[in-house]
Amino acid sequence: MLHVRSRFFSVPSMALCAIAAVMTIASATVLMARQPGAVAEPPEAAATMPKVPPLPAGTPQEMMEFIDSLKQANVRPSSRKEMIAYMRDVATVSLQAADKILAQVPPADPMHDRAAKMKLESLMMLGRFGDEKAAADMAAYAATLTNSPSRELAKEAQRLVLVGEAQTVLSTGDVKAGQGLVEKMAAMLAADPDDMQSAGLAMQLAGAFEHMPDGDEVAAAAYRSFGPVMAKSSNEQIRTMGEGFAGTLRRLSLPGHPMEISGTLLNGEPFNPKSLAGKVVLVDFWATWCGPCVAELPNVLEQYEKYHKDGFEVVGISLDQDREALEKFVNEQKLPWPILFEESKGDGWQHPLATYYGISGIPTVILIGRDGNVITLNARGEKLGEQLDAIFKKAG
């Protein structure tokens, strides 16, 4: 799922950055894919990129101010490679400053916590750029801070330790270890249901499990565990997120069960779900502005032409906000299947089915068997053809 809605809020947490697939800096890259109409402008090329100066001698305050000036500098890299090189150099100098400050100030000094966070952040950044020693050092250092007298620092360290475990689980696909991770994350949430950063990490973690091979079960466990805790939060945003998890859990529970399909066709007429009785149905949550969705259409068209006469149907659930643009696209592409569409009344996904089934990224495709029960939530690319070949060849 390459186009993902940024759900509910954005949390500037080291832990979220660590578990995310990409890092951000200035206007270069965004963590969540944007909604239609928000197109990132490429940075203007600069004649020369400033070099990161070495760390000057000075007091802890002076060193911290020097690092702050580096991070606030309005640099304009001409390429991604140049951007990464600058970020790496800033992280290296920041790490040096953090170590020197930590050696000079006592734990009770507020500067100590700032320096500790800067050290974690710098090590994390270097680890993201392939420095395995820095990644290991960050995990080890975070572990020493989990019982820090500073509540905020301890919590961030606990999140980072959990992230380290999550990265191992996600890279190995260890579902059993994933279940244990869900329990730890749920305990962290229960300890402080109003903590935005922990809630954001829980959201990222559950979504990552959802995309892990054979991770549907552990993802469902995550949504089942996290949702009720968040729904009781006094923070409205966290509470809304917890309530939204119910839809995602509903979708993950679909295999082997019927799926509700209702709504209004693009021409304004009500859709008749009885028209799908006895058919193999591909439900496709998509949008014209979603590149991966559009790229998948030739594959779906090929399978439709191959098996429609045998009882294969497609139902598109459009998450577009512009009816005219959608109608133009459907006519130009000559899409032969029914498209459900609802008028937009605000930002984000608008179709009620997208909300009901907790759709957070598109394309999302769901394959339903002749008996009306969902076969799989993963029927894109070659897998769609394989599934349909097996269904219709067996029937033949």
Side-chain angles (χ1 to χ4, degrees), residues 125-361:
M125 185 77 72
L126 292 170
R128 295 290 297 175
F129 293 141
D131 187 333
E132 295 182 2
K133 182 179 184 302
D137 287 348
M138 187 201 74
Y141 185 56
T144 68
L145 298 174
T146 56
N147 294 315
S148 168
S150 167
R151 183 170 177 268
E152 183 180 350
L153 183 57
K155 287 179 67 175
E156 185 63 28
Q158 290 164 9
R159 284 190 288 265
L160 285 169
V161 169
L162 189 145
V163 163
E165 296 178 21
Q167 290 174 330
T168 299
V169 169
L170 295 170
S171 63
T172 61
D174 189 339
V175 174
K176 185 176 180 180
Q179 295 283 1
L181 200 57
V182 167
E183 294 176 5
K184 291 182 181 180
M185 185 73 250
M188 187 179 295
L189 284 173
D192 188 357
D194 298 333
D195 182 55
M196 294 275 282
Q197 294 190 1
S198 293
L201 177 57
M203 180 185 74
Q204 295 278 15
L205 187 61
F209 283 146
E210 196 175 337
H211 299 148
M212 185 175 75
D214 301 319
D216 284 353
E217 184 177 339
V218 66
Y223 288 114
R224 192 179 297 113
S225 298
F226 304 160
V229 179
M230 294 181 183
K232 295 178 182 178
S233 172
S234 61
N235 184 298
E236 184 178 356
Q237 290 179 307
I238 297 176
R239 198 164 57 245
T240 301
M241 183 196 301
E243 293 166 355
F245 278 7
T248 306
L249 185 58
R250 188 179 292 118
R251 170 168 47 85
L252 294 177
S253 303
L254 277 173
H257 300 92
M259 177 181 182
E260 179 179 318
I261 306 174
S262 60
T264 306
L265 293 166
L266 189 54
N267 63 11
E269 296 181 2
F271 175 70
N272 180 12
K274 293 182 179 179
S275 65
L276 303 177
K279 296 181 179 180
V280 176
V281 182
L282 182 74
V283 180
D284 182 11
F285 289 88
W286 73 296
T288 59
W289 47 261
C290 165
C293 301
V294 174
E296 179 71 6
L297 287 177
N299 177 52
V300 178
L301 276 166
E302 179 184 349
Q303 300 303 323
Y304 182 90
E305 293 170 357
K306 185 177 181 180
Y307 288 121
H308 180 62
K309 64 181 184 302
D310 298 319
F312 175 54
E313 185 58 275
V314 178
V315 177
I317 314 294
S318 172
L319 303 184
D320 284 277
Q321 295 176 306
D322 187 334
R323 178 189 289 274
E324 290 185 7
L326 174 60
E327 289 176 338
K328 181 181 178 182
F329 182 91
V330 170
N331 291 332
E332 288 177 348
Q333 299 298 319
K334 297 181 173 59
L335 299 185
W337 49 77
I339 305 289
L340 304 189
F341 174 81
E342 298 293 337
E343 293 289 349
S344 175
K345 296 180 181 178
D347 296 329
W349 307 145
Q350 291 303 306
H351 202 283
L353 284 180
T355 301
Y356 186 71
Y357 285 114
I359 303 300
S360 59

